[in-house]
C-alpha cells in the first residue's frame, strides 16, 4: 500500500484465487472505472499487464460466444494431453492465432479453439483492431534484455525472500488449486510444483525467472506492431522515463515546445 503513494488504484484485489479471470468482465468494469474517473475531471492511467486485456479495454472489441461444456472438454484435454496438442490443433485451424498465442498459454489456446468450434470462424478474425473505443495516449518503455533480464532475476529472488512460498501455501487453503487463472499464474504455478516436491528451490526460482522473461518477450511482440504506441528507448532511471513520457504526451496533445 505504501508504494501506491496515496494514488487511488483500480482493478486490484477484485477476484478470489478460485475465480477465473474474464477479459469481458474486466473490459466492462475497467471501462466503468475510467468513465467514473473522467466524470470527476481526472485522467486515468492504464498500466499493463496482459496485452489482450489492455487492447480489450481500449479498442473496439466484441466477445464471441462461449459454451462451458466445450471449454471444459478442451481444458480437460489440455490437462491430460498437454498444451502442445491444443497448439497443434489451433495451428492447423488458425495459424495466425496460434502464432500470436504460442504453445504454452493453455487458457488462450482453449479459448481460441472454443471460438472456432462455436462460430466456425478463425479466432484471429475476432481479435481487436487498432481502433480506439476509449481514446488514449499509449507509451511503451523499451528496455534492452541485457538490462531487463537481470532485473527479472532480482525480482524473483526478492519475491522468494519476501515469502512467496508461505503466500502460496496460505492461498492453497483458499482454493488456489481450484482457480484456473491463479494456479497457472507465473510464480504461483512453479511454487505449487515446489510444494509438491517436483522442483527444488533453486530450480523453482530459475523457472519463474524463465517464464517471466518469456512473458516479457510476448508483451513486446504484442505491443510492437501497434503504430499508436510511442516508444521510450534506453532510459531506465525513473526521472528520465518520467521526462520522456511527459514529452511524448506533449507531442500527442499538440503541446510540444
Amino acid at each position: 500500500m505504501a508504494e501506491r503513494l496515496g494514488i487511488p488504484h483500480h482493478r486490484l484485489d477484485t477476484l478470489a484465487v478460485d475465480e477465473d479471470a474474464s477479459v469481458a468482465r474486466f473490459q466492462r468494469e475497467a471501462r466503468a472505472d475510467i468513465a467514473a474517473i473522467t466524470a470527476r475531471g481526472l485522467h486515468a492511467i492504464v498500466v499493463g499487464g496482459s496485452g489482450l486485456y489492455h487492447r480489450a479495454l481500449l479498442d473496439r472489441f466484441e466477445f464471441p460466444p462461449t459454451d462451458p461444456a466445450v471449454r471444459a472438454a478442451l481444458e480437460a484435454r489440455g490437462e491430460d494431453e498437454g498444451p502442445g496438442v491444443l497448439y497443434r490443433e489451433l495451428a492447423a485451424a488458425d495459424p495466425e492465432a496460434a502464432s500470436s498465442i504460442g504453445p504454452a498459454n493453455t487458457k488462450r489456446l482453449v479459448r481460441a479453439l472454443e471460438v472456432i468450434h462455436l462460430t466456425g470462424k478463425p479466432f484471429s478474425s475476432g481479435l481487436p483492431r487498432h481502433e480506439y473505443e476509449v481514446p488514449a495516449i499509449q507509451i511503451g518503455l523499451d528496455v534492452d534484455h541485457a538490462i531487463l533480464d537481470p532485473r527479472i532475476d532480482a525480482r524473483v529472488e526478492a519475491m522468494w525472500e519476501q515469502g512467496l512460498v508461505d503466500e502460496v501455501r496460505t492461498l492453497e487453503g483458499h482454493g488456489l488449486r481450484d482457480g484456473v487463472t491463479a494456479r497457472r499464474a507465473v510464480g504461483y504455478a512453479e511454487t505449487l510444483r515446489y510444494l509438491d516436491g517436483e522442483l527444488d528451490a533453486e530450480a523453482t526460482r530459475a523457472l519463474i525467472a524463465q517464464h517471466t522473461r518469456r512473458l516479457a518477450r510476448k508483451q513486446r511482440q504484442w505491443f510492437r506492431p501497434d503504430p499508436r504506441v510511442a516508444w521510450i528507448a534506453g532510459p531506465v532511471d525513473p526521472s528520465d522515463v518520467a521526462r520522456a513520457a511527459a514529452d511524448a504526451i506533449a507531442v500527442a496533445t499538440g503541446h510540444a515546445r
Side-chain angles (χ1 to χ4, degrees), residues 8-28:
H9 284 57
H10 303 264
R11 299 297 101 211
L12 296 179
D13 301 325
T14 59
L15 297 176
V17 293
D18 59 353
E19 288 185 86
D20 193 10
S22 161
V23 66
R25 173 181 171 181
F26 174 81
Q27 182 195 66
R28 181 176 65 254

Side-chain angles (χ1 to χ4, degrees), residues 68-102:
V70 173
R71 178 173 296 192
L74 289 166
E75 288 176 344
R77 287 183 57 203
E79 292 282 352
D80 296 340
E81 304 173 42
V85 172
L86 302 180
Y87 176 75
R88 289 189 291 273
E89 184 173 325
L90 181 60
D94 187 350
E96 181 182 347
S99 176
S100 171
I101 294 171

Side-chain angles (χ1 to χ4, degrees), residues 229-241:
V229 178
W231 289 98
I232 299 174
V236 293
D237 180 85
S239 59
D240 291 338
V241 172

